[in-house]
Amino acid sequence: PISENYARAVEAVLQPREDRKSFFQRVLNPGVPASHGYELLALLLARGVLRTVLTTNFDSILAEQCRSNAAVYQITEIKTIEDYRRFSTNPRYPQIIYLHGSIEHYTDQNIEQETQRLNASLVELLSPLLRDHPLVVIGYRGAEPSVMRHLLTEQSDRCGNFRHGIYWCQRGVTDPSQDSMLSELVRVAGTNFQFVEIGGFDELMDELRVALPQLLTAANIVQLPTSSVALGTLSDVHDLQPSLATLADLDQALLRAKLLAYCEAARLPKPPISTEAQIVTLMQERSLAVRTDPNWVPTQGGVLLFVGRESAQIASASVEIFLEGEPRWLDEILQRAPSGDGPILDSAQTETVRITGNLWEQLDTISTLLARVNRPFRLKGATSHDVYPYPPLALKELLTNLLAHRDYTVPEASSIHIGPGQIRFKNPGGLVEHVRAQLHSRPLQAAIENAARGIKGYRNPVIADFFFSAGAMEKEGSGLPDVVSEAAQNLNAVTFGPTPDNAHFQVVIEIRPEALHVDRTTGTARPLHAELRYSPNLLSILRWPETVWKIATIASLSDLAEVRGRGAPPFCVMRDWIWTFAMPDSPASAELLALGLPEEIHEVRSTELLDDSVSRWALPHLLNTALERHLVKRGLRVRFEAGRLRAYFPATNNGPTEVTYRGLFKQATRTVAKPIVSRATQKTVFWEHKAVGLRFERFGSDWCLAILPGYAFTRDGDVIPIESDRIGPLSTRRAARDYNPTVLHDLVFWSRVIADGAGSSFAMALSANAGRSDEVKPQLEVSGVVPTVLFQEPPEVTHLGIVPTEMAEPEMMALQSEIEQILAEADEDDQEVNGDSGDGR
């Protein structure tokens, strides 16, 4: 088999040796996100369900996923001989062992000679692990003698013949006799070896999530040691270290409230906290407490979050606020809070203030101060509205990052400089090594501004975990990208990054320009930039169907068309496969199944289908089929044109058709089919219909329903189109008068029509005919709202005047004259060619 030539190919093609390392570095860093199966596997490691992972891969995808999960406080990676001393058969934190080394420590475990044996010391370490634990094998073909023979088969006696079991996961049914190394392992393990059929790695993780939800929702089952430990021995992570404080030094009321809130946010069962022992148990599960000789003490993270006594506070855990500017401006910031709440700060008349207390107190106090600084003002314009000097969400993210990511081992306070024109956040501690590795030598700001999301790493995972549960921060690496986005929309310039020595991290956000010109009496300012509102002609897909079924078929096109005409569930045919959302055991699917091969029915996840370069186009075809049925149910005429659906309303009993819908501001009525009458003959020349082109389109990793308003022209007001060579000129002349406001109203109108008044979103029936009793709930949810984005235009750009949404009567008359002239000339051409007597039609 080709797959077994891998080692030979590496040795023969990738020469010299250094080329192998550069090749693997390139292909193992493609810049694409990990599949969701890795996320679930990392969560199982975080919950302690799994302790050790053995991998033959070079990549660090799983390790990065673990580091991205704040519940994984530490991860042990064993890559080199020097790392063997860190190995444990009962590790407290997740342990990943690279059987063939890692790419940064490349040791050529790919060529044929090197794939025969593993390092003898590593095999010696792993034998007790394999003896005392079950082994689950996923996504491994069993082709390396170093693993199959040296690590497993030859160690069978030392491992008690794998008495806890080997569970070999495979796609499809494999005959072990076809693989000599696998058959050897089956023979020595005997009844301790089991094949487990799976759909794939991601599919297996999904099945575990569905079948055993308690694995992912239960509290972390990794228990801290019950025996005493010495200070500093648990972890290199600071907020996991034991502190010198006592449990009595913590704010008990705050602790109980946050523990309950944490469990609720994490969807964990409500824990009992009526006794001290129960609280300590919950604290140890969340790494807020650890046992030292002879008592339980808070970890550094527990003290930072919940300390109540000033004497026990960590000296470096403070924030200095520097207020710069004119006295009047400072007085406005530092004035007493309303309703007699007292001063926000103890030293309310000073320009430098130190904020202390636990991190929740610091977060609340500084948030209140920033809210004072960030009072909204009225921006005058055609439509006046309130704006903020700084985007509130951006300030929240920056403050949270300041508290959660600073280095508390450095005896230096964080600082916030608040001036009349900018706010500067600065904290000790630059980028952690894990984040620097993700940047690949790029500046952080450049990477984020180039749409890089998911860059994340945690210096203080306990703090990050609790801040996330409280909604104070995000764990998806979206904090700084959100700051950039919010600042851009609010006209704030922002710069950020580590200092050159990586000893500090600093963010400077400039004030919105108009805030420097606010009238203090009226609280208003005039805009320095003109506003532009942009509405893309796209409706977002909010929820995909999870799976698609494909059925092999040899049916003819006429048979398929006949089944479709009888109302079969929406389906499409590509490459001799019928694709449908309908469940095979649904009565509605009976006719489809009759056209297929019963032994060739497969369930495919939508996400997997979209990633397949060949088959992914089946999904938009299938959705277009379902959309066609959805539109016909709404009373529209639908046909396929140029790769998209085209829909329009027919005339009603030879009269105009009107549709009432909810417009932007009020109920509106629109004429969607009307006759164009000749002024000379008073006869209907043709019918003009409001029409729309629809197509599901992909933009990067996102899919949307694209809406393209237009016109259709028919002879009978229903299905007979006018001559094709006349449609282009008519459409061009008609659309030439549709200015931006008109197009926006068209987009709103068609979004309401498609959604059938469902509101902010609507669902499409994908599995069966409307009205059938066996129809399951729709699986595709589409936004029914045309999105609007507000842009700020530089003042030097010249604006065109606002064009009315409806054409004035003279314009309409001129347009109709042009249309009649086009039709008259076309009729004359037809009469000359056909020898017509010219008596008209």
Side-chain angles (χ1 to χ4, degrees):
I2 293 178
S3 60
E4 294 187 7
N5 290 322
Y6 170 76
R8 297 188 184 95
V10 170
E11 186 172 6
V13 177
L14 297 179
Q15 296 284 0
R17 178 180 180 277
E18 187 61 27
D19 281 359
R20 298 173 200 157
K21 180 175 181 179
S22 61
F23 169 78
F24 288 117
Q25 283 178 324
R26 183 172 68 255
V27 299
L28 294 176
N29 293 288
V32 298
S35 69
H36 66 279
Y38 276 99
E39 298 176 6
L40 295 174
L41 180 58
L43 188 53
L44 290 174
L45 287 165
R47 298 300 186 201
V49 177
L50 306 177
R51 302 291 185 89
T52 300
V53 173
L54 311 179
T55 178
T56 59
N57 296 339
F58 281 154
D59 62 67
S60 57
I61 295 175
L62 178 58
E64 291 175 357
Q65 285 297 314
C66 289
R67 293 190 185 97
S68 300
N69 190 321
V72 180
Y73 301 136
Q74 182 172 323
I75 182 172
T76 300
E77 292 184 272
I78 297 177
K79 302 179 178 180
T80 66
I81 295 176
E82 289 74 20
D83 294 333
Y84 291 174
R85 59 183 176 81
R86 305 168 62 195
F87 171 81
S88 172
T89 57
N90 186 30
R92 163 162 169 68
Y93 298 105
Q95 178 177 251
I96 301 178
I97 300 172
Y98 296 80
L99 296 176
H100 291 164
S102 64
I103 190 61
E104 64 266 29
H105 306 97
Y106 183 75
T107 56
D108 237 5
Q109 293 287 342
N110 281 280
I111 63 177
E112 190 169 11
Q113 179 182 355
E114 296 291 343
T115 57
Q116 301 303 309
R117 310 288 289 179
L118 292 178
N119 183 286
S121 298
L122 179 59
V123 173
E124 187 77 19
L125 289 175
L126 294 179
S127 294
L129 185 74
L130 296 170
R131 180 193 64 206
D132 298 332
H133 298 84
L135 175 65
V136 180
V137 183
I138 312 174
Y140 178 59
R141 61 194 177 95
E144 290 97 351
S146 58
V147 176
M148 296 300 294
R149 291 197 173 114
H150 189 198
L151 177 62
L152 298 177
T153 303
E154 295 177 14
Q155 309 306 318
S156 177
D157 290 340
R158 298 180 60 190
C159 298
N161 290 332
F162 308 103
R163 60 191 179 192
H164 291 282
I166 296 178
Y167 301 88
W168 193 280
C169 299
Q170 60 179 11
R171 299 177 68 174
V173 179
T174 300
D175 183 357
S177 64
Q178 296 178 358
D179 188 312
S180 59
M181 287 187 289
L182 183 56
S183 63
E184 290 173 12
L185 181 59
V186 173
R187 177 177 52 80
V188 299
T191 57
N192 295 329
F193 189 101
Q194 295 187 45
F195 282 109
V196 181
E197 186 175 348
I198 64 173
F201 170 64
D202 290 344
E203 290 79 1
L204 173 61
M205 293 295 106
D206 284 333
E207 287 187 36
L208 288 174
R209 177 179 58 183
V210 173
L212 300 170
Q214 66 273 19
L215 294 184
L216 301 177
T217 58
N220 194 336
I221 65 173
V222 177
Q223 299 296 315
L224 289 171
T226 56
S227 58
S228 300
V229 295
L231 294 179
T233 61
L234 276 180
S235 170
D236 297 332
V237 179
H238 176 258
D239 65 354
L240 292 172
Q241 295 280 339
S243 71
L244 299 177
T246 67
L247 296 180
D249 292 325
L250 305 184
D251 185 330
Q252 297 298 318
L254 178 64
L255 175 62
R256 290 169 183 257
K258 293 298 183 182
L259 285 174
L260 290 175
Y262 180 94
C263 292
E264 182 178 355
R267 297 181 180 179
L268 303 176
K270 185 177 180 180
I273 55 172
S274 57
T275 66
E276 182 179 353
Q278 291 171 337
I279 294 177
V280 171
T281 298
L282 196 55
M283 290 179 67
Q284 77 168 37
E285 290 177 356
R286 303 303 342 140
S287 295
L288 298 174
V290 64
R291 186 179 176 186
T292 61
D293 193 12
N295 302 312
W296 288 93
V297 299
T299 60
Q300 298 283 16
V303 173
L304 288 167
L305 287 166
F306 299 111
V307 67
R309 294 182 182 177
E310 185 175 352
S311 59
Q313 292 178 359
I314 297 175
S316 61
S318 62
V319 180
E320 291 185 342
I321 310 292
F322 297 91
L323 299 169
E324 305 167 357
E326 300 177 358
R328 178 183 175 185
W329 186 78
L330 297 178
D331 289 342
E332 291 178 353
I333 298 175
L334 296 174
Q335 64 181 308
R336 291 178 178 272
S339 304
D341 293 335
I344 183 174
L345 305 171
D346 292 336
S347 49
Q349 299 303 316
T350 65
E351 297 183 6
T352 302
V353 180
R354 181 180 291 271
I355 308 297
T356 59
N358 62 57
L359 296 188
W360 299 111
E361 293 173 336
Q362 294 184 30
L363 182 65
D364 290 343
T365 300
I366 301 173
S367 295
T368 304
L369 176 60
L370 291 176
R372 295 274 184 84
V373 174
N374 198 35
R375 288 193 181 97
F377 60 92
R378 193 74 172 168
L379 194 63
K380 301 176 69 174
T383 303
S384 298
H385 58 282
D386 291 337
V387 296
Y388 286 89
Y390 303 94
L393 177 59
L395 294 185
K396 169 202 163 187
E397 293 286 354
L398 295 176
L399 172 58
T400 305
N401 286 349
L402 183 85
L403 298 176
H405 297 312
R406 65 152 293 171
D407 188 347
Y408 286 98
T409 65
V410 177
E412 175 187 344
S414 300
S415 63
I416 301 177
H417 288 74
I418 302 175
Q422 66 174 216
I423 301 178
R424 183 169 71 252
F425 298 81
K426 185 177 181 181
N427 60 269
L431 299 178
V432 296
E433 188 58 36
H434 177 53
V435 172
R436 297 175 70 177
Q438 295 176 71
L439 292 174
H440 306 294
S441 301
R442 297 173 297 170
L444 177 63
Q445 182 158 356
I448 289 179
E449 288 180 345
N450 287 328
R453 298 181 76 87
I455 298 176
K456 47 194 172 183
Y458 301 100
R459 175 179 279 112
N460 306 300
V462 176
I463 297 172
D465 200 19
F466 271 85
F467 271 20
F468 171 75
S469 71
M473 70 176 294
E474 301 294 335
K475 286 201 298 188
E476 299 301 325
S478 61
L480 285 175
D482 285 344
V483 170
V484 171
S485 175
E486 292 289 320
Q489 292 199 40
N490 199 57
L491 297 183
N492 300 95
V494 60
T495 57
F496 55 87
T499 54
D501 58 0
N502 200 41
H504 296 82
F505 192 90
Q506 179 171 282
V507 182
V508 177
I509 183 167
E510 305 286 343
I511 201 169
R512 183 186 177 106
E514 293 92 342
L516 297 173
H517 306 283
V518 173
D519 186 308
R520 298 295 179 183
T521 303
T522 63
T524 61
R526 292 189 174 277
L528 300 179
H529 297 72
E531 293 183 347
L532 293 177
R533 295 184 181 273
Y534 171 69
S535 296
N537 60 324
L538 304 171
L539 298 180
S540 302
I541 295 181
L542 305 178
R543 181 166 59 93
W544 277 101
E546 293 186 1
T547 58
V548 181
W549 295 88
K550 67 174 187 176
I551 308 168
T553 183
I554 56 175
S556 65
L557 293 178
S558 59
D559 290 339
L560 293 167
E562 184 178 348
V563 170
R564 179 178 282 114
R566 288 200 297 266
F571 71 92
C572 70
V573 180
M574 288 189 65
R575 298 179 178 271
D576 298 326
W577 290 94
I578 296 174
W579 299 83
T580 181
F581 292 108
M583 301 283 289
D585 56 357
S586 169
S589 303
E591 289 189 295
L592 285 180
L593 292 178
L595 298 178
L597 305 177
E599 67 276 11
E600 288 289 345
I601 300 176
H602 303 278
E603 185 179 14
V604 183
R605 290 188 60 82
S606 297
T607 52
E608 179 182 336
L609 182 61
L610 290 174
D611 291 334
D612 189 304
S613 60
V614 176
S615 300
R616 68 184 183 191
W617 300 112
L619 199 53
H621 276 287
L622 182 54
L623 293 176
N624 283 333
T625 303
L627 178 60
E628 177 186 13
R629 193 164 293 180
H630 178 80
L631 296 173
V632 170
K633 180 183 176 183
R634 294 282 295 118
L636 283 83
R637 299 290 183 262
V638 184
R639 59 176 180 261
F640 280 97
E641 291 182 1
R644 70 173 68 237
L645 288 173
R646 190 162 186 82
Y648 61 92
F649 281 101
T652 304
N653 297 326
N654 289 327
T657 301
E658 294 184 343
V659 174
T660 299
Y661 68 103
R662 180 169 55 86
L664 285 172
F665 306 106
K666 61 181 181 180
Q667 287 291 107
T669 299
R670 170 168 294 205
T671 301
V672 295
K674 61 182 178 182
I676 302 300
V677 179
S678 171
R679 287 176 294 170
T681 65
Q682 299 302 309
K683 294 182 178 180
T684 297
V685 182
F686 63 96
W687 287 80
E688 178 187 289
H689 307 260
K690 289 282 189 181
V692 63
L694 299 164
R695 181 167 60 192
F696 288 94
E697 296 187 17
R698 187 172 189 171
F699 299 87
S701 60
D702 298 320
W703 283 81
C704 298
L705 176 59
I707 305 176
L708 186 62
Y711 295 90
F713 304 95
T714 65
R715 285 289 186 184
D716 62 346
D718 194 358
V719 295
I720 302 176
I722 64 173
E723 289 71 15
S724 58
D725 59 339
R726 304 177 185 178
I727 294 176
L730 287 176
S731 298
T732 301
R733 281 168 170 74
R734 187 65 182 88
R737 309 299 175 94
D738 287 347
Y739 300 103
N740 285 348
T742 305
V743 175
L744 175 59
H745 285 286
D746 285 344
L747 291 175
V748 173
F749 167 73
W750 284 114
S751 69
R752 301 286 196 263
V753 168
I754 298 169
D756 194 14
S760 59
S761 66
F762 66 97
M764 281 174 43
L766 300 177
S767 58
N769 228 353
R772 295 271 291 261
S773 60
D774 54 10
E775 181 179 6
V776 299
K777 292 183 178 179
Q779 299 167 292
L780 179 75
E781 186 176 2
V782 182
S783 172
V785 179
V786 176
T788 299
V789 182
L790 180 65
F791 287 92
Q792 304 293 330
E793 186 181 38
E796 61 269 17
V797 175
T798 302
H799 280 287
L800 297 175
I802 296 178
V803 181
T805 60
E806 297 293 339
M807 283 187 289
E809 182 65 22
E811 292 180 293
M812 179 62 75
M813 297 293 289
L815 175 63
Q816 183 169 333
S817 296
E818 292 181 26
I819 292 173
E820 289 185 22
Q821 180 63 31
I822 292 172
L823 293 175
E825 292 172 357
D827 281 342
E828 291 174 2
D829 293 339
D830 288 346
Q831 293 165 12
E832 292 177 5
V833 172
N834 299 322
D836 199 299
S837 61
D839 57 349
R841 307 186 201 184

